[in-house]
Amino acid sequence: MSDESHLCLLGLIVLSSLLTGTSEEKVTYVFISSGEDARLSCNNALHDCNSTMWLYNRFRHSATVELIGLGIKNNNTERHERLSLGPDCSLNIKNISTEDYGYYSCRQYVNGEQQGPDAHVYLHVLRVSSSSSSSSQTEISAGRSVTLFCQLYSFAGGSCVDWIGSERIQLFWVNQAGVKLMRSDSRYQILSSSHHCIITLNTTLLNEDHNREWRCNVTQRDKVKSSVTYTVKSSGEKTSSSISTSEEKVTYVFISSGEDARL
């Protein structure tokens, strides 16, 4: 056989192995905001869930935790109360927190033998906080500086540079109209770190910022996957609005002791 034939055959073998590996692995990316409920699909489920196992890893080389074993929830896990198995064998997680991000695997066992490859789900959690509060709303005086932190907790762990590049992940801030905030805008100081999947927004609040919203978006391949809205309530504006009582209707009733009254 000629050298060209050997090279051609080798190329076909490599191509075949690559295609086979790609077709067998089922991977789903899920992006969700902290505090929401998540549903992780089991794309390799059989006719019932008695053969279904859900496994979890926080990092690539961390210990594997069994969440669901042959359709039965493991009550020994810290978050078992927030977990449930759907009728389609999906894994439901209530009130997602930053502790839930990571790598989930749905596996099928029949008669002690694994059936086919795992179905993998990468769960990424988006969270926004501020320098003055850990919630998504703050009351703060005009003229005061505030820094908002938007972080994507991902399976990539301490560094997500390569993952961001391969999946075209982007984090950015937008205003109430959905317009992207730019670094060139003198009002905002925006800093990002792809190494830690975090972007910060710093600004000085104005009187007209009462009830203003800023939203952090995460996109994958130019499609918005999740977002978190941060609302600012100026303490001065809140006080003045609460004083306004022009809508109140007051009636004065005068009556003698011992009489019947009707209000």
Side-chain angles (χ1 to χ4, degrees), residues 148-168:
L148 307 181
F149 305 89
C150 178
Q151 185 168 0
L152 182 68
Y153 293 79
S154 73
F155 178 67
S159 174
C160 55
V161 177
D162 295 337
W163 178 71
I164 279 184
S166 62
E167 290 298 322
R168 289 165 48 195

Side-chain angles (χ1 to χ4, degrees), residues 54 90 96 125 133-134 159 184 188 193 214 227 230:
W54 274 101
S90 59
I96 285 288
V125 180
S133 172
S134 60
S159 174
S184 57
Y188 304 107
S193 171
W214 287 292
S227 64
Y230 197 93

Side-chain angles (χ1 to χ4, degrees), residues 12-30:
L12 289 174
I13 293 174
V14 172
L15 179 61
S16 176
S17 62
L18 289 174
L19 291 176
T20 301
T22 303
S23 62
E24 287 184 353
E25 189 170 334
K26 300 177 181 179
V27 179
T28 303
Y29 296 92
V30 174

Side-chain angles (χ1 to χ4, degrees), residues 20 85 140 143 167 175 203 249 255:
T20 301
L85 194 64
I140 195 168
E167 290 298 322
N175 60 19
T203 189
K249 297 180 181 180
I255 194 168

Side-chain angles (χ1 to χ4, degrees), residues 134-200:
S134 60
S135 67
S136 60
Q137 178 175 302
T138 187
E139 181 183 331
I140 195 168
S141 300
R144 185 174 178 180
S145 176
V146 62
T147 301
L148 307 181
F149 305 89
C150 178
Q151 185 168 0
L152 182 68
Y153 293 79
S154 73
F155 178 67
S159 174
C160 55
V161 177
D162 295 337
W163 178 71
I164 279 184
S166 62
E167 290 298 322
R168 289 165 48 195
I169 304 297
Q170 286 188 327
L171 287 175
F172 55 90
W173 289 96
V174 300
N175 60 19
Q176 292 183 140
V179 178
K180 185 176 181 180
L181 301 182
M182 307 301 292
R183 287 183 171 87
S184 57
D185 192 325
S186 60
R187 188 187 173 186
Y188 304 107
Q189 295 81 49
I190 300 175
L191 298 174
S192 60
S193 171
S194 57
H195 184 78
H196 295 292
C197 291
I198 187 171
I199 185 169
T200 62

Side-chain angles (χ1 to χ4, degrees), residues 26-201:
K26 300 177 181 179
V27 179
T28 303
Y29 296 92
V30 174
F31 297 83
I32 196 164
S33 302
S34 177
E36 295 182 341
D37 297 339
R39 175 183 173 275
L40 310 185
S41 298
C42 181
N43 293 327
N44 61 355
L46 301 180
H47 58 279
D48 59 44
C49 300
N50 294 331
S51 59
T52 298
M53 296 183 67
W54 274 101
L55 309 174
Y56 169 74
N57 295 84
R58 170 67 56 81
F59 304 113
R60 293 186 182 279
H61 303 294
S62 62
T64 300
V65 178
E66 180 182 297
L67 303 176
I68 303 290
L70 300 180
I72 300 175
K73 181 170 64 174
N74 183 357
N75 291 327
N76 293 327
T77 59
E78 294 181 0
R79 49 183 170 159
H80 71 274
E81 294 181 352
R82 296 190 291 115
L83 303 178
S84 63
L85 194 64
D88 58 352
C89 307
S90 59
L91 180 65
N92 301 317
I93 309 175
K94 291 183 178 180
N95 192 21
I96 285 288
S97 74
T98 55
E99 298 297 316
D100 294 317
Y101 78 90
Y103 179 69
Y104 293 77
S105 300
C106 188
R107 182 175 297 173
Q108 304 300 318
Y109 268 98
V110 176
N111 296 327
E113 295 185 1
Q114 182 174 344
Q115 304 297 305
D118 292 346
H120 304 299
V121 180
Y122 292 84
L123 178 63
H124 312 283
V125 180
L126 187 67
R127 180 177 181 269
V128 167
S129 60
S130 80
S131 54
S132 60
S133 172
S134 60
S135 67
S136 60
Q137 178 175 302
T138 187
E139 181 183 331
I140 195 168
S141 300
R144 185 174 178 180
S145 176
V146 62
T147 301
L148 307 181
F149 305 89
C150 178
Q151 185 168 0
L152 182 68
Y153 293 79
S154 73
F155 178 67
S159 174
C160 55
V161 177
D162 295 337
W163 178 71
I164 279 184
S166 62
E167 290 298 322
R168 289 165 48 195
I169 304 297
Q170 286 188 327
L171 287 175
F172 55 90
W173 289 96
V174 300
N175 60 19
Q176 292 183 140
V179 178
K180 185 176 181 180
L181 301 182
M182 307 301 292
R183 287 183 171 87
S184 57
D185 192 325
S186 60
R187 188 187 173 186
Y188 304 107
Q189 295 81 49
I190 300 175
L191 298 174
S192 60
S193 171
S194 57
H195 184 78
H196 295 292
C197 291
I198 187 171
I199 185 169
T200 62
L201 170 67

